[in-house]
Each structure stands twice: as C-alpha cells, then as structure tokens.
Amino acid sequence: MQVARGAMSNFRLALIQLRVSAVKSDNLQRACGLVREASAKGAKVVALPECFNSPYGTQFFKDYAEKIPGESTQKLSEVAKECSIYLIGGSIPEEDDGKLYNTCTVFGPDGAMLAKHRKEKQKRNARLLGTNEVVQNTSGVQVHLFDINIPGKIQFKESETLSPGNSFSMFDTPYCKVGLGICYDIRFAEMAQIYGQQGCLLLIYPGAFNLTTGPAHWELLQRGRAVDNQVFVATVSPARDEKASYIAWGHSTVVNPWGEVIAKAGAEETVVYTDIDMEKLAEIRQQIPILSQKRCDLYAVEMKK
C-alpha cells in the first residue's frame, strides 16, 4: 500500500516537555530556546505541550488568555521561520469575542500559520454495524472539554471557563499529513479514524493528563489510536511540577503504527527525539491491510458536512 504521494521516507520529530512556570514571558523564552535546540539537532517537526505559556487550571485561563495572533503566537511564528521547521504550538488559552478556548496553532517554515485547533465539540455521524441507520450526535454537549469527577482523586471542569471548538484540524508537510488533537480529544476514537481516512499518517496530541489518568490511560490510549489506524501517534505533556495546583503526568511519548513505544520521556523537563520512518508504516499496512479490508458497506465513521 502506498503511504502518500510525495511523502519522504523519514524525518526527525521533537517533543518539548516544558516545565511551565507562572511567568508567561519566561515560558515563551524557554520554549523558543528549546525549539532552537531541537532544530539544531535535526528536528523538522517540533511540538510544544498543552498550555505551554500558562499554568493549567480554570483559575488561570482568563488571566493568561490572549488573541490570536498575539504575543505567544507571534513568538512561535518567528522561531518557526528562523529555524525553518514545522512547529506545533502546544496550546494556549485564547480569547475570541468574549469566549475562552484551549487552542493549538501550527506554523510552517515560512512563519505562516497553517492550522488552528480548538479543543473540540463535534457533531459526528456513526453508521451502526449491520444497519443502514446513521446516528447523529447533535445534542450540543461539550464532548471533548475535560470534565471529569473521580471521587477521592480528581475533579476538573474545563467547561466552567472554556468554550469548545467545532472543527477538525489537519495540515500538510513534505513528509506526511498531520492531524491535531488536544489532550482529552485522544479519548475519542472517531476523531482519530476520520484523520486516518483523510490521509493523516501522524497524529499529535499536546496534552496534560494528571497523576490519576496518566498512569492508567496515557500510553494505553496512544497505542490504541496508533494500532487502530496504523499511524504514528505523538503526545506532548508539560513537565511535572509537584508544587502546581494541577500536576501533569509528563511522559511525552511517540508510538509507531505497530503499537510500539519508540520514544518516551520521564517526568522532568526534556526534549524527546525520534525518527519517523514512513517505510515502516507502509510495511505494517502491507502486512496487516486493515484499511483496505474495512467493511464500509456495514459501518463507517463520517465527518458531518
């Protein structure tokens, strides 16, 4: 099976597991410095973590929010152009028309913004196995905002301050097409399936799982999305700060289409490097051709038009 027209055999991916402080200017300076370091070591695609310019928490989002374009995205644009790389800007709290969003921006080697992804609220169609019935999720509930309550462990509601996005986000590179999600988005298999159907070979999720969900599901979900769709999956977490009000799990990870973890950080601030091999992806798809054997006459996951 062909990988993608014009795709190159491999490229270096860097995940920046940044230790986020309460000082936005310091976060921006250190993030850009680590981007330059990653570029100097051969990375062509570089990703920052969720809320890289702000502490993670509903009490912080309003104070740290900014317009796009704004201070943080301007810095990202400049460093992407300076290093001639594709830069996935983790996420920042965005203010737009009185609403707050958790937003990921992507910049190309010329500094132009290629994509803007807001943590999602989706209307999805799913065709039921063995029927022609189409089930539509049109209730308007905040599907992909992180609202959880695990008694005795953690309670968190992004929807108290954030509004959801309403679109999928993909961008092209000379190496492959890339699909974007933010943190909680990884729990929704339909989103990853649609990205796969649209030709994405790498899915990147800036995310900040916590000390409860991290050890339980962080790696499990990544391996599941990778195996189900025969794609590379990368997740980028902030470094762990035991003194923070919300403690991130860390462990930024890259998983290959066989479900193998091929790169993984610990909890500390670091940069994770891995070479993404598209020939390996093509080999796996040839050995287990699930994409050509899907029974789309019986089931399908479709993007609602």
Side-chain angles (χ1 to χ4, degrees):
M1 173 178 290
Q2 292 182 347
V3 174
R5 183 175 297 175
M8 298 176 67
S9 60
N10 59 73
F11 64 95
R12 176 156 287 191
L13 171 68
L15 311 180
I16 296 177
Q17 186 164 285
L18 183 72
R19 185 180 176 92
V20 178
S21 76
V23 182
K24 182 189 285 191
S25 60
D26 179 60
N27 295 329
L28 292 173
Q29 182 179 7
R30 289 188 302 105
C32 290
L34 289 171
V35 169
R36 294 184 181 97
E37 177 184 312
S39 173
K41 292 185 178 180
K44 301 300 183 184
V45 179
V46 180
L48 290 163
E50 182 178 21
C51 277
F52 83 92
N53 72 344
S54 161
Y56 185 82
T58 55
Q59 70 272 35
F60 300 112
F61 295 146
K62 182 177 181 180
D63 290 340
Y64 283 79
E66 56 187 75
K67 298 283 189 180
I68 295 178
E71 177 188 6
S72 296
T73 52
Q74 181 62 33
K75 294 288 187 184
L76 296 180
S77 171
E78 290 171 359
V79 76
K81 184 175 182 179
E82 174 190 335
C83 296
S84 190
I85 58 168
Y86 290 88
L87 179 58
I88 295 95
S91 77
I92 65 170
E94 176 198 6
E95 189 279 320
D96 183 27
D97 196 24
K99 294 182 178 180
L100 298 180
Y101 300 90
N102 188 355
T103 303
C104 176
T105 53
V106 180
F107 296 89
D110 61 355
M113 188 166 71
L114 303 178
K116 185 171 81 168
H117 178 77
R118 289 169 170 169
K119 213 166 185 179
E120 293 301 348
K121 163 185 170 182
Q122 297 293 350
K123 295 181 179 179
R124 298 192 305 274
N125 288 353
R127 199 173 298 279
L128 298 180
L129 179 64
T131 78
N132 290 319
E133 181 182 0
V134 175
V135 178
Q136 297 185 5
N137 177 4
T138 58
S139 62
V141 296
Q142 297 177 346
V143 175
H144 294 177
L145 289 183
F146 182 52
D147 288 4
I148 67 167
N149 183 7
I150 303 175
K153 294 186 177 181
I154 184 171
Q155 181 176 358
F156 197 93
K157 293 192 70 174
E158 283 187 331
S159 62
E160 290 178 344
T161 54
L162 296 177
S163 297
N166 58 7
S167 63
F168 292 96
S169 303
M170 298 165 271
F171 65 97
D172 289 305
T173 76
Y175 321 108
C176 68
K177 192 172 187 177
V178 181
L180 293 175
I182 300 175
C183 198
Y184 199 48
D185 287 337
I186 199 171
R187 291 188 180 273
F188 299 92
E190 300 93 334
M191 185 176 185
Q193 289 175 47
I194 288 171
Y195 280 148
Q197 291 172 3
Q198 294 294 316
C200 295
L201 304 180
L202 169 64
L203 307 183
I204 296 183
Y205 297 89
F209 274 40
N210 54 67
L211 299 188
T212 298
T213 59
H217 300 146
W218 180 248
E219 183 179 310
L220 175 66
L221 288 165
Q222 295 169 62
R223 296 179 70 185
R225 300 293 86 84
V227 170
D228 285 349
N229 301 288
Q230 296 182 319
V231 295
F232 287 92
V233 173
T235 54
V236 201
S237 172
R240 190 178 304 174
D241 180 358
E242 299 285 354
K243 297 178 181 179
S245 58
Y246 180 97
I247 304 173
W249 173 238
H251 298 288
S252 300
T253 303
V254 184
V255 179
N256 72 13
W258 192 256
E260 298 170 321
V261 174
I262 56 175
K264 188 174 184 178
E268 73 286 351
E269 181 172 276
T270 188
V271 181
V272 178
Y273 298 92
T274 189
D275 292 323
I276 302 296
D277 186 351
M278 289 302 166
E279 292 179 358
K280 178 69 172 179
L281 183 148
E283 177 184 300
I284 291 169
R285 289 186 172 188
Q286 185 174 23
Q287 292 170 351
I288 307 178
I290 60 172
L291 299 181
S292 63
Q293 294 176 343
K294 282 184 179 290
R295 290 295 306 274
C296 293
D297 57 322
L298 298 179
Y299 54 80
V301 178
E302 304 167 355
M303 193 170 350
K304 185 172 177 62
K305 304 300 184 183

